[in-house]
Amino acid sequence: MAQLTTSDLLAQTERLGIAHAAGPEGGATIERVDVSTLADLPGLTVGTLAVVAGDDPPAPYLVDVALRQASARGLAGLVMPAGFTATETATVLALRGGVPVLVSLAAPAPDLAVAIDRVISGGAAESMTRAAFAVEKATQAAAAGEGDAVAAILDAAGTALGVRVSLREDLATSWTDADAVFAGEVPIGRLVAETSDPAATVALPVVASLVSRAMQRHLQDRFAPNQSRADLIVELILAEAGRVDGFVAPAARLGLPLQLSHAVAWMRPQHRTDPGLRAPRFVEAALELFTLQLIEDRPELWHIAFLQDDVLVVSSEDHGAGDHQRRLRDVVSRVQAQARRLIGDDWTYTVGLGTPQTGAAGLRQSAAEARVAADSAIAGGRLDAIELTDVTGLRRLLLDFYASPVSRNLLDDILHPLDVLGPEKATTAVRTLLSYLGHRHSLAQAGRELNLHPNAVGYRIRRARELLGVDLDDPDTRFAVELACRVRLLGSGR
């Protein structure tokens, strides 16, 4: 039998339907509970909690006598019928005699005695009853949906159990943990009870599920507009150049002012030993939640979007604002660090930063710059770096071509026959072609640039001519091939 006093019963006032009326809140240990009339109190044994029979409160003078008898007999306390109010005399006698006086809020004496006896006796039945009550109250708090729903659920469950329940953050929480809390696919933590309690063990899995759903609903309400705008940004980046103007009106309806200046960070994950491996699925959701919380209170307009495994962070503000790219770098460096914490040291997150550009076309341009910068860093072996875009002269013009899927695909089609050589040899052939065309068909000058004998250059060019099936002596063809070579090497970072 559990060693309980009236203070332990008062911790479950809502479930038991009792309240404190007079005397100390915690008296002697309750050894047993009994339904009794006031006249029968002298016959009760020490440690008995007497539930006074009857539907109406007893007369004040009878209560005064009963309190003296309860004190003399060493009773654990008295539970009066519903409607009882302690008089001033009864209050003094209860305190002086050390007799806790409780009052039933509704239940008849026999029913209340059975409920209290279960608490005193403990065991599986009492634990299941208390767990069911905690689940009921937590469910009601979740359905109310008012204010901080998570705090309301935890408070309701803890009050019903008589044990404080809290959420302990733990990103390593697994789906298989019974008390795990997830927001969608993002591990948040686990529920813990302040003390070991069988009823809490039974109730916490259900309460954890309620908390998870409440958190997911809260996050959807909080970040749904941002996520909708992020989807539109991805569509804009992938769209053909001729469709850009069509995004202005939908963006305005979603609260995305495309007329602002936009700077884009392009973050690309890559496994250190297996570049073809895709990042774990949970990372995207966890990284999105972290970033949305990170940028929520910043003055600029921010978005995070995903293109396959790549992460795009977009910062938008008024044109001409100073240090625009630096602020973007500050944020994305923290996102990059969080990605490493989530995924481990076997993965790298390389970042390219685009320059601030104005309007819808500017957002696409900045994204293209950022993507090329990230690709260039990876190709150059600068994994996990944050690479700035160098956009001057011809490189800026090439980026415009690279930003357009149609232009990029058309130019790539020209060089597609070289891909039969394999990635490395195809890149070597492209570099040789570019050097040869750039030096006006001079094998000697191309050889000096490539550190090759002119005959070796000539052999490569003949092989390329055969595969491409084009006339490099034709000015238009020569220009198209050279442009295609530059754009391909730009995309590969070489």
Side-chain angles (χ1 to χ4, degrees), residues 413-465:
D413 286 344
I414 296 174
L415 302 177
H416 181 67
L418 297 179
D419 293 336
V420 299
L421 300 173
E424 292 297 325
K425 290 185 177 180
T427 300
T428 299
V430 171
R431 293 182 62 189
T432 304
L433 265 173
L434 181 60
S435 181
Y436 173 72
L437 296 174
H439 289 97
R440 298 187 179 184
H441 295 199
S442 171
L443 297 176
Q445 292 184 46
R448 282 194 292 272
E449 180 180 341
L450 300 171
N451 198 25
L452 293 172
H453 191 279
N455 290 343
V457 177
Y459 170 78
R460 291 183 181 181
I461 295 301
R462 285 194 299 274
R463 178 64 172 147
R465 284 177 183 266

Side-chain angles (χ1 to χ4, degrees), residues 217-463:
R217 182 177 60 191
H218 171 67
L219 292 174
Q220 286 175 343
D221 294 342
R222 181 178 173 190
F223 296 125
N226 194 301
Q227 292 165 331
S228 298
R229 293 192 293 265
D231 292 339
L232 187 70
I233 287 172
V234 172
E235 290 185 41
L236 173 61
I237 290 172
L238 296 177
E240 307 300 342
R243 293 182 52 218
V244 170
D245 291 342
F247 285 85
V248 175
R253 286 194 295 270
L254 289 174
L256 173 61
L258 288 178
Q259 74 275 11
L260 295 178
S261 176
H262 312 280
V264 180
W266 196 295
M267 188 160 65
R268 176 158 289 176
Q270 181 172 298
H271 194 271
R272 291 188 184 276
T273 59
D274 186 358
L277 193 64
R278 295 203 61 177
R281 183 180 175 184
F282 80 90
V283 175
E284 178 178 314
L287 205 58
E288 180 181 34
L289 177 58
F290 171 83
T291 306
L292 290 173
Q293 292 174 328
L294 175 65
I295 62 182
E296 185 175 21
D297 295 328
R298 294 184 66 94
E300 308 88 5
L301 182 63
W302 293 84
H303 295 91
I304 178 172
F306 296 88
L307 187 54
Q308 294 183 341
D309 289 343
D310 292 356
V311 185
L312 282 70
V313 178
V314 183
S315 172
S316 305
E317 54 184 293
D318 291 333
H319 179 62
D323 294 332
H324 191 168
Q325 195 178 56
R326 180 191 60 78
R327 287 191 293 277
L328 172 64
R329 179 173 186 147
D330 290 344
V331 168
V332 80
S333 64
R334 295 177 65 180
V335 177
Q336 182 190 48
Q338 177 68 5
R340 294 195 196 103
R341 284 192 290 269
L342 288 169
I343 205 168
D345 294 335
D346 291 336
W347 287 82
T348 62
Y349 273 85
T350 307
V351 178
L353 295 182
T355 58
Q357 304 283 335
T358 305
L363 192 155
R364 286 162 49 87
Q365 175 71 28
S366 186
E369 294 172 358
R371 178 180 177 183
V372 170
D375 288 343
S376 298
I378 292 172
R382 299 183 298 280
L383 300 178
D384 262 346
I386 297 181
E387 192 88 352
L388 297 175
T389 300
D390 178 18
V391 285
T392 56
L394 178 61
R395 188 173 178 83
R396 176 178 287 278
L397 179 63
L398 293 175
L399 280 168
D400 285 334
F401 280 100
Y402 192 82
S404 169
V406 172
S407 300
R408 190 167 64 247
N409 291 338
L410 287 174
L411 293 173
D412 196 53
D413 286 344
I414 296 174
L415 302 177
H416 181 67
L418 297 179
D419 293 336
V420 299
L421 300 173
E424 292 297 325
K425 290 185 177 180
T427 300
T428 299
V430 171
R431 293 182 62 189
T432 304
L433 265 173
L434 181 60
S435 181
Y436 173 72
L437 296 174
H439 289 97
R440 298 187 179 184
H441 295 199
S442 171
L443 297 176
Q445 292 184 46
R448 282 194 292 272
E449 180 180 341
L450 300 171
N451 198 25
L452 293 172
H453 191 279
N455 290 343
V457 177
Y459 170 78
R460 291 183 181 181
I461 295 301
R462 285 194 299 274
R463 178 64 172 147

Side-chain angles (χ1 to χ4, degrees), residues 64 90 102 121 153 235 240 284 478:
D64 295 345
L102 311 182
S121 301
I153 293 170
E235 290 185 41
E240 307 300 342
E284 178 178 314
R478 185 168 62 246

Side-chain angles (χ1 to χ4, degrees), residues 39-317:
D40 294 331
L41 291 183
L44 299 180
T45 58
V46 174
T48 300
L49 177 68
V51 179
V52 178
D55 296 328
D56 300 318
Y61 77 93
L62 292 177
V63 173
D64 295 345
V65 173
L67 287 171
R68 291 187 176 93
Q69 292 174 335
S71 176
R73 295 296 300 168
L75 300 186
L78 301 177
V79 182
M80 295 296 183
F84 171 80
T85 302
T87 63
E88 184 176 350
T89 302
T91 301
V92 172
L93 289 173
L95 284 173
R96 183 184 302 166
V99 180
V101 180
L102 311 182
V103 58
S104 172
L105 299 180
D111 294 343
L112 181 57
V114 170
I116 294 175
D117 185 62
R118 285 177 179 170
V119 175
I120 297 171
S121 301
E126 192 277 332
S127 295
M128 291 300 296
T129 301
R130 196 151 46 91
F133 184 68
V135 169
E136 177 187 350
K137 292 302 177 182
T139 302
Q140 291 174 357
E146 298 176 356
D148 187 344
V150 171
I153 293 170
L154 296 179
D155 182 64
T159 300
L161 289 169
V163 177
R164 182 173 177 270
V165 177
S166 60
L167 173 60
R168 179 180 298 165
E169 291 188 4
D170 182 2
L171 295 181
T173 301
S174 168
W175 280 106
T176 57
D177 296 332
D179 51 6
V181 173
F182 277 70
E185 297 181 0
V186 182
I188 302 298
R190 53 197 309 165
L191 294 190
V192 293
E194 189 173 40
T195 59
S196 178
D197 185 284
T201 302
V202 174
L204 286 190
V206 180
V207 178
S209 176
L210 292 170
V211 171
S212 295
R213 283 182 285 182
M215 292 193 74
Q216 178 67 9
R217 182 177 60 191
H218 171 67
L219 292 174
Q220 286 175 343
D221 294 342
R222 181 178 173 190
F223 296 125
N226 194 301
Q227 292 165 331
S228 298
R229 293 192 293 265
D231 292 339
L232 187 70
I233 287 172
V234 172
E235 290 185 41
L236 173 61
I237 290 172
L238 296 177
E240 307 300 342
R243 293 182 52 218
V244 170
D245 291 342
F247 285 85
V248 175
R253 286 194 295 270
L254 289 174
L256 173 61
L258 288 178
Q259 74 275 11
L260 295 178
S261 176
H262 312 280
V264 180
W266 196 295
M267 188 160 65
R268 176 158 289 176
Q270 181 172 298
H271 194 271
R272 291 188 184 276
T273 59
D274 186 358
L277 193 64
R278 295 203 61 177
R281 183 180 175 184
F282 80 90
V283 175
E284 178 178 314
L287 205 58
E288 180 181 34
L289 177 58
F290 171 83
T291 306
L292 290 173
Q293 292 174 328
L294 175 65
I295 62 182
E296 185 175 21
D297 295 328
R298 294 184 66 94
E300 308 88 5
L301 182 63
W302 293 84
H303 295 91
I304 178 172
F306 296 88
L307 187 54
Q308 294 183 341
D309 289 343
D310 292 356
V311 185
L312 282 70
V313 178
V314 183
S315 172
S316 305
E317 54 184 293

